[in-house]
Amino acid sequence: MQLLIKLGIEVPRTHEIRKLLSIIYDKLKIDEVMIFMRENRKDLIILENIRGKSQYGIPSVSKDEAEIALLIAEKILSLIEKLWNNL
C-alpha cells in the first residue's frame, strides 16, 4: 500500500493482488511488473483464493497451497521492494 501512496495513487478498496499489481503497472509502465503477473498468474490466483478462504473461515487450504502462497508472497515483496528502491 505504501508504494501506491508514494506513487500518488488512491489506495483502492480491494484485496486482489493482481488488481493492485495492475494499478502499479498502469502508473509505472514497467514491463517487469507485467511479466511478473503473467509468469505467476496461477500462484497469484492461489494466493487470492487463500486470502478469501482465511477471511471467511473456510477450511481446506492444502499444505501445497500454503507453500505456494508463502513463496509468491515473498516474490511480491521482493518485486515491490525493487520498485520502491528504483523510484
Side-chain angles (χ1 to χ4, degrees):
M1 295 301 173
Q2 296 299 325
L3 180 61
L4 294 175
I5 293 167
K6 187 174 183 176
L7 294 172
I9 299 170
E10 183 177 339
V11 179
R13 298 183 57 94
T14 184
H15 296 288
E16 296 176 39
I17 190 66
R18 290 176 296 151
K19 182 171 185 167
L20 294 169
L21 289 170
S22 291
I23 291 168
I24 292 168
Y25 173 76
D26 289 343
K27 179 72 174 187
L28 297 176
K29 302 294 188 215
I30 295 175
D31 291 336
E32 183 177 0
V33 177
M34 186 58 66
I35 292 167
F36 178 87
M37 290 190 301
R38 275 193 214 118
E39 290 178 351
N40 295 286
R41 183 176 186 276
K42 180 180 175 184
D43 293 346
L44 292 168
I45 291 169
I46 289 171
L47 179 63
E48 289 177 355
N49 288 339
I50 287 175
R51 193 219 52 86
K53 287 179 181 181
S54 66
Q55 179 178 351
Y56 298 107
I58 300 171
S60 77
V61 173
S62 71
K63 180 181 177 186
D64 289 341
E65 288 175 318
E67 288 174 353
I68 290 169
L70 287 172
L71 290 173
I72 194 64
E74 289 172 353
K75 288 181 182 180
I76 293 165
L77 290 173
S78 178
L79 173 66
I80 297 302
E81 182 178 1
K82 183 176 180 181
L83 295 172
W84 180 275
N85 291 333
N86 290 326
L87 289 180

